[in-house]
Amino acid sequence: MSIKRPRSLKWSLVLRIALLQCAMLTLIIVGILGALLATGLIPHDYEDGTMDVLADAVARDAGGKLVLRETSDLAKLRSDVPDLWFIIRDKQGQRLQEGTVPAIFQPFAGLLDTISDARIDHSIGESAPPDAKIRWTETAAGNLQIFTGTKGGLSLLRLLGQAPQFFLQGILPLAGLMALATLFATPWVVRGALSGLGHAAAEAERIDIDQRGVQLPLEDVPKEVTPLVKAVNAALARLDKGYERHKRFLTDAAHELRTPVAILNTRLASLPATPERARLLQDAARLSTLTDQLLDLQRLDRQTSPFDKVDLVAIARGVIVDLAPMAFSAGYEMSFEPEPEAVFATGDRTAIERAVTNIVQNAIEHGGRAGKITVSVTAPAVIEVRDEGDGVPPAERERIFEPFYRLRPQDHGAGLGLNLVQEIMQLHGGRIEILDGKPSGARFRMSFRALPA
């Protein structure tokens, strides 16, 4: 299923504004023309009514002679103007005449060869309209000269017939210029109007599981978008409250588990030494470790004290001393390989100690119960834990940091141990990597921010 591309606000506004401008121009011009027609202003001033009807009606017959077709406009003109008169001629001398040319205009009939365009009136000065007109005009019969009176009116159908040409030649170019101006103005307007959303988006980038309490700013946000920003802020507040309730529940549950787990360990320790007792002690230890991991996660989540200068060599050595008996009893050899005598970093000593402990315990659990577990510390600030087990397939190296992820169905999984390690490394601005062991097994590398010795 293809994802539909989001629409551009800029182009959507440009298109809609351009269409609106074009429609408004058309309505305004049509409204003006309608008002002029309704009030009679156009017929009063229009002087080409008779000439338009004659130009539409004139044609040529099969022999090429000029003829006048009986159109409805021509019939109406004859009805409205009983004394209709006209002379129509072409450049070859063919002539079509009807009616009697008034005596005052008869001298012009003999001078038509020398006149191309004329407005003739019996009174002194310019009148609107004149009493007669002479004009060469394009018709279906070719370019013809028409000499006639001006008593005909404006045809509404003819006016409407000119609307497409008027739209293409008048309205469309003007609308195009306005759309071009809109094209350049709209991005500037949109950027200015939505500048507040840019600040809100930058603040939204800060939202993270470890960065709670963030609210999107409402300053400079357009009023139309304010309800959306307020709804997002309300949703963030609800999520923060739900997250806090979830954290409190986990903390309370971990605290409540510590007492019954301790009692269980005490009672198991008092039982006779049998294989079943040993398995039960291992299960109880795993449960105790999980409880401690839950508490560690809550403590890291509330970490507020500044980091101190810590010695990674000393931390790794302490973990080796604590876990060596467990490793020996599980069938492993232990090796500690610090390159320098001290490697310093900034961090929380307890958290780093927990991270190294979890990595070593993971090696003990999943290293195949044979071979050697090696802990090394190298400059500038790197701790590595290597085992000689089956290793971790490259495709699974990101997923094993998920809580309770099982590499194989029969495994117990890493619980929260590796997830806790990843949280600790992120808290310290470092990273945890899984590499291939040499010659086999898994190699966990923890890289911290180094300090000079």
Side-chain angles (χ1 to χ4, degrees):
M1 175 177 160
S2 60
I3 300 177
K4 186 178 180 182
R5 291 182 60 189
R7 291 188 302 170
S8 168
L9 177 60
K10 178 184 76 173
W11 291 112
S12 178
L13 287 176
V14 167
L15 178 61
R16 294 185 183 188
I17 292 175
L19 291 176
L20 178 62
Q21 289 172 344
C22 189
M24 289 300 297
L25 279 173
T26 303
L27 290 175
I28 290 172
I29 294 175
V30 170
I32 292 174
L33 291 176
L36 292 175
L37 284 171
T39 56
L41 293 177
I42 290 182
H44 176 74
D45 293 332
Y46 191 66
E47 57 192 44
D48 289 332
T50 302
M51 193 167 291
D52 289 342
V53 172
L54 295 174
D56 290 342
V58 68
R60 291 185 186 273
D61 60 12
K65 294 182 60 176
L66 293 176
V67 295
L68 206 62
R69 295 180 292 107
E70 291 298 325
T71 64
S72 58
D73 286 340
L74 181 59
K76 184 176 184 304
L77 178 63
R78 283 175 172 153
S79 173
D80 294 340
V81 185
D83 55 346
L84 176 67
W85 62 270
F86 59 83
I87 298 174
I88 302 175
R89 58 195 292 270
D90 61 13
K91 295 178 181 179
Q92 288 74 36
Q94 286 195 52
R95 190 183 185 100
L96 191 64
Q97 182 172 352
E98 182 177 317
T100 303
V101 179
I104 192 172
F105 301 136
Q106 286 182 2
F108 295 99
L111 299 174
L112 291 178
D113 288 344
T114 62
I115 300 175
S116 62
D117 198 346
R119 301 172 75 254
I120 308 169
D121 196 72
H122 65 276
S123 60
I124 298 177
E126 184 178 354
S127 61
D131 289 333
K133 286 194 71 173
I134 301 173
R135 191 181 74 189
W136 285 92
T137 186
E138 290 294 332
T139 69
N143 189 253
L144 303 178
Q145 187 183 44
I146 301 177
F147 179 26
T148 186
T150 59
K151 293 183 179 180
L154 175 65
S155 171
L156 181 59
L157 291 177
R158 183 179 182 85
L159 180 63
L160 294 177
Q162 297 297 319
Q165 183 178 1
F166 176 70
F167 177 82
L168 292 175
Q169 296 181 353
I171 296 177
L172 196 58
L174 185 58
L177 289 175
M178 296 178 69
L180 191 62
T182 302
L183 175 63
F184 288 101
T186 300
W188 176 74
V189 173
V190 170
R191 280 195 299 270
L194 302 182
S195 60
L197 286 182
H199 301 309
E203 195 67 22
E205 291 286 341
R206 296 178 52 236
I207 298 175
D208 189 68
I209 191 68
D210 296 320
Q211 185 69 33
R212 295 182 297 278
V214 177
Q215 292 282 285
L216 304 184
L218 289 170
E219 293 81 5
D220 300 325
V221 173
K223 182 174 67 175
E224 292 79 6
V225 187
T226 298
L228 175 61
V229 177
K230 287 183 176 179
V232 171
N233 284 338
L236 291 174
R238 291 193 298 271
L239 289 174
D240 284 341
K241 291 179 180 178
Y243 185 81
E244 288 300 324
R245 286 196 300 268
H246 171 71
K247 288 291 185 180
R248 283 197 302 270
F249 170 77
L250 290 179
T251 303
D252 294 343
H255 278 293
E256 290 294 327
L257 281 173
R258 297 189 76 176
T259 299
V261 169
I263 294 173
L264 178 62
N265 281 322
T266 301
R267 292 180 177 175
L268 289 174
S270 64
L271 294 175
T274 62
E276 184 65 25
R277 172 180 174 273
R279 286 193 295 270
L280 289 174
L281 283 172
Q282 288 180 352
D283 293 337
R286 189 177 294 111
L287 183 59
S288 179
T289 299
L290 179 59
T291 303
D292 291 338
Q293 289 171 351
L294 284 171
L295 292 173
D296 285 338
L297 281 174
Q298 307 316 306
R299 188 176 68 84
L300 285 175
D301 189 59
R302 291 171 173 80
Q303 177 74 34
T304 56
S305 59
F307 289 155
D308 299 321
K309 180 179 178 180
V310 294
D311 182 2
L312 299 182
V313 174
I315 292 175
R317 183 182 291 112
V319 172
I320 289 291
V321 171
D322 290 339
L323 297 182
M326 182 187 300
F328 295 151
S329 64
Y332 298 99
E333 298 178 26
M334 290 290 292
S335 175
F336 182 47
E337 300 176 354
E339 286 189 0
E341 293 183 359
V343 175
F344 294 102
T346 56
D348 180 82
R349 181 183 181 89
T350 303
I352 296 175
E353 192 174 73
R354 169 59 71 183
V356 178
T357 299
N358 287 350
I359 294 295
V360 175
Q361 286 179 336
N362 183 77
I364 294 173
E365 182 73 27
H366 302 286
R369 297 190 176 274
K372 181 190 295 185
I373 296 175
T374 303
V375 180
S376 62
V377 183
T378 59
V382 176
I383 298 177
E384 285 191 356
V385 178
R386 304 189 298 271
D387 62 53
E388 298 177 357
D390 295 332
V392 181
E396 305 291 334
R397 291 178 182 178
E398 291 293 331
R399 300 193 62 192
I400 66 169
F401 292 104
E402 297 175 5
F404 305 105
Y405 179 73
R406 294 174 181 267
L407 186 60
R408 289 173 287 271
Q410 67 272 18
D411 288 345
H412 293 294
L416 292 172
L418 295 183
N419 177 255
L420 179 61
V421 173
Q422 189 177 56
E423 294 279 345
I424 292 172
M425 296 308 297
Q426 290 175 354
L427 178 67
H428 286 77
R431 67 181 186 276
I432 174 76
E433 301 173 274
I434 304 177
L435 308 173
D436 291 328
K438 295 180 181 179
S440 63
R443 180 159 53 114
F444 286 77
R445 174 182 292 172
M446 294 181 287
S447 303
F448 297 87
R449 291 179 178 176
L451 278 182

